[in-house]
Amino acid sequence: MLVMKNTLISCTVILIMTHIACNNGNPANKKYPDKTSATDSIINSAGNTADAAYRKGARLIAANDCFTCHRIEEKTIGPSYREIAAKYHFNEGNVENLSHSVIHGSKGLWGNKEMTAHPNLKMADAKEMVRYILSLDTTNKNTIVK
């Protein structure tokens, strides 16, 4: 019984020391930071963190399956929304073309992966979603068209 008790105490001490050593006693070194991503922010706020002019598009993105393949800041299965915004000027022609790609799917614009079609989306809703995405441009090259 004494051996089991000493073993349990030793294991507990080792776990505590390992935890302290891995974090260097600093909570900032945690594997999963407390920082909320832009994607999480849009999802958790139902789009309320988006600019008011593009909030409906952000809400539609959060309500659909878009975040399965896309994130705002980082590339996952598909390009990030910021990459898309940097590639396409914000104009009605691009809004129309990209909305068509959202509804009918596309392949080859970003490599060999195919974007799934979303035939149940209305064109007006797809345009709102694309306008939100294009509003995320951080290169200052886009002229915003409403």
Side-chain angles (χ1 to χ4, degrees):
M1 183 70 127
L2 183 60
V3 172
M4 284 180 57
K5 186 175 182 180
N6 286 341
T7 303
L8 181 61
I9 292 171
S10 296
C11 288
T12 303
V13 169
I14 290 171
L15 285 172
I16 292 170
M17 291 177 67
T18 303
H19 177 72
I20 292 170
C22 289
N23 286 329
N24 293 330
N26 185 351
N29 291 331
K30 291 191 297 187
K31 184 175 180 182
Y32 302 102
D34 292 332
K35 181 179 171 188
T36 302
S37 74
T39 300
D40 292 336
S41 181
I42 290 294
I43 293 169
N44 295 332
S45 72
N48 288 336
T49 59
D51 182 85
Y54 307 106
R55 198 164 285 154
K56 181 177 180 183
R59 287 180 180 148
L60 287 164
I61 286 171
N64 283 281
D65 67 346
C66 306
F67 288 128
T68 302
C69 299
H70 300 279
R71 298 287 181 273
I72 293 172
E73 304 288 345
E74 74 231 22
K75 180 185 184 324
T76 56
I77 294 168
S80 74
Y81 289 144
R82 292 213 194 270
E83 289 175 301
I84 296 168
K87 182 174 180 175
Y88 297 98
H89 287 280
F90 196 149
N91 60 52
E92 282 307 309
N94 283 334
V95 169
E96 183 78 28
N97 289 337
L98 292 171
S99 298
H100 186 271
S101 293
V102 169
I103 292 172
H104 300 286
S106 67
K107 184 176 180 179
L109 297 174
W110 293 90
N112 291 327
K113 294 201 177 181
E114 185 173 342
M115 185 169 100
T116 307
H118 299 84
N120 294 331
L121 276 176
K122 297 176 188 171
M123 180 58 85
D125 288 344
K127 285 182 177 182
E128 289 290 335
M129 296 161 82
V130 169
R131 285 186 184 106
Y132 165 72
I133 293 166
L134 295 182
S135 78
L136 298 171
D137 178 51
T138 58
T139 66
N140 298 317
K141 70 165 179 59
N142 285 338
T143 304
I144 297 175
V145 177
K146 295 182 182 179

